[in-house]
Amino acid sequence: MDFCISEINKEIFSRIDGKSYKKNCTVPLEDLRYLKLLHKTLSGETLHGELICNVSIAQNLIDIFEKLYTENYPIEKIRLVDEYNADDELSMSDNNSSCFNFRLVSNTNRISLHGYGLAVDINPLYNPYITFRDGKKNIEPANAVEFEDRTKNFPYKITEDDLCYKIFTAHGFLWGGSWDDSKDYQHFYIER
């Protein structure tokens, strides 16, 4: 099947154990689901993708990604963050779209919504996370500086007029690009 949801079986767990599913993970495996998806690249090539997410948003994500695929919306990569040893910076800098990764919010002690499988980052290289710390701008991933200026035109850019924004928000997701004191243009999430 091209779009499907399954429980985390032994084979999938062996791929995430000690990586995105860290030893201190407080999310029970039964609260997570493995998704198989199709997506289109900018050149129109169809690729297989995979995500792990919270069970509560699994069907919504299947519906969202199926609509994005049907509408030929370009997503460069959708791989488990475990292929990057659960290193968020490496995954983002490779423009990998991902969901579950038990980790903290950057520069805080709070568990990220990704840590609960309730947030999805789409084309993160082109849609950076921009914060200000101690009067200094921080851009993640670090190689996304040229995509900070949202007045420029470039592929994969998410705005409120973008199909990705419209489909995610129609399914009840919030967008980090709407935040006032920071911007997370890649980030769609459901509040806990």
Side-chain angles (χ1 to χ4, degrees), residues 14 33 59 64 98 116 138-139 153 160-162 167:
S14 71
R33 291 296 180 268
Q59 187 58 56
I64 288 166
S98 66
Y116 301 104
N138 184 54
I139 298 175
N153 288 324
E160 289 184 356
D161 293 324
D162 187 62
I167 294 173

Side-chain angles (χ1 to χ4, degrees), residues 84-104:
Y84 302 87
N85 205 30
D87 184 316
D88 195 43
E89 177 70 18
L90 288 178
S91 177
M92 289 188 300
S93 65
D94 195 37
N95 202 32
N96 180 52
S97 300
S98 66
C99 183
F100 174 74
N101 187 8
F102 192 76
R103 63 176 177 79
L104 301 177

Side-chain angles (χ1 to χ4, degrees), residues 20 22 86 88 101-106 110-112 114-115 121:
S20 66
K22 295 163 182 62
D88 195 43
N101 187 8
F102 192 76
R103 63 176 177 79
L104 301 177
V105 174
S106 294
R110 292 185 338 263
I111 296 173
S112 167
H114 290 283
D121 290 342

Side-chain angles (χ1 to χ4, degrees), residues 111-175:
I111 296 173
S112 167
L113 288 175
H114 290 283
Y116 301 104
L118 293 171
V120 182
D121 290 342
I122 303 292
N123 291 321
L125 174 61
Y126 298 90
N127 298 287
Y129 176 35
I130 304 165
T131 57
F132 294 88
R133 245 183 0 261
D134 302 323
K136 189 175 175 188
K137 188 185 300 179
N138 184 54
I139 298 175
E140 297 176 37
N143 63 337
V145 171
E146 67 183 289
F147 305 110
E148 172 196 4
D149 183 351
R150 307 311 282 181
T151 64
K152 292 181 180 177
N153 288 324
F154 48 85
Y156 300 115
K157 182 172 81 169
I158 299 172
T159 67
E160 289 184 356
D161 293 324
D162 187 62
L163 181 65
C164 185
Y165 169 87
K166 291 176 181 177
I167 294 173
F168 268 96
T169 57
H171 281 83
F173 282 76
L174 301 171
W175 182 48

